[in-house]
Amino acid sequence: MAGGEVRADVAGGASDAGGVSGTEVASDAGGAGGAGGCAARRGRPRSEAAEQAIFEAAIGLLESGMPLAEVSIEKIARTAGVGKATIYRRWPGKEELFVDLLRSVEAPDPVLPGVSVRDDLVALMESIRRRGLAKRNSALLHNVFSQMQQYPKLWDTYHHTVIEPRRRLGLDLVLRGMELGEIRSDLDAELVNDLFTGPMILRTTIRPGATLDDDLAERVVDAILEGVRPRD
């Protein structure tokens, strides 16, 4: 299935300005009629080869110096050698495509140990530290994130699909700590969550030259827990 799609996508890329070729449409429909067409209508796995080509094309355009605002679906499709319809089947627009691209090159979201609130908070803060290191070491990430602030639609998409779920994860940990008696329940949970993430964001984003020591997450979590533990 994937091979047929990639072959069809290349054909579609050749006629990108005029739309997607009939070959590509036939391939994506799973063939004319029969069981293949029914299976396609029920949905089929994405082509990893096509997605990789699309990501590499977008990265190539950015690394060539093209501003983020000028990178269009049409330019990505042409560079990747696929039809625009191939991209739009996966992402409704450029913003969603770039969010997935960023997630593919960022450090993955953490798997929380689930042993204690403290250990889970350390794992979450460590993931922020690692993403900060990745941004410092990746010209692509640094370039995209610096431009995203000037591209509100992309920033909003990234915020709602990536940042907000991570923020909610931290808030849930704080609330769990309050329920278990590890954090004072009379405190503002949102504020306590900000106390944990604030130093990490400060060092990874606002102060790009700040040290990001291996034990930073543990030191931040332990220092804040000491201040928010229930009083005797």
Side-chain angles (χ1 to χ4, degrees), residues 107-110 122-132 166 217:
D109 289 339
V122 169
L124 187 58
M125 297 307 109
E126 173 64 10
S127 72
I128 297 176
R129 187 187 76 89
R130 289 181 178 274
R131 282 196 295 273
R166 290 171 180 167

Side-chain angles (χ1 to χ4, degrees), residues 110-130:
V111 177
L112 303 183
V115 177
S116 69
V117 171
R118 185 261 183 196
D119 288 347
D120 284 355
L121 283 167
V122 169
L124 187 58
M125 297 307 109
E126 173 64 10
S127 72
I128 297 176
R129 187 187 76 89
R130 289 181 178 274

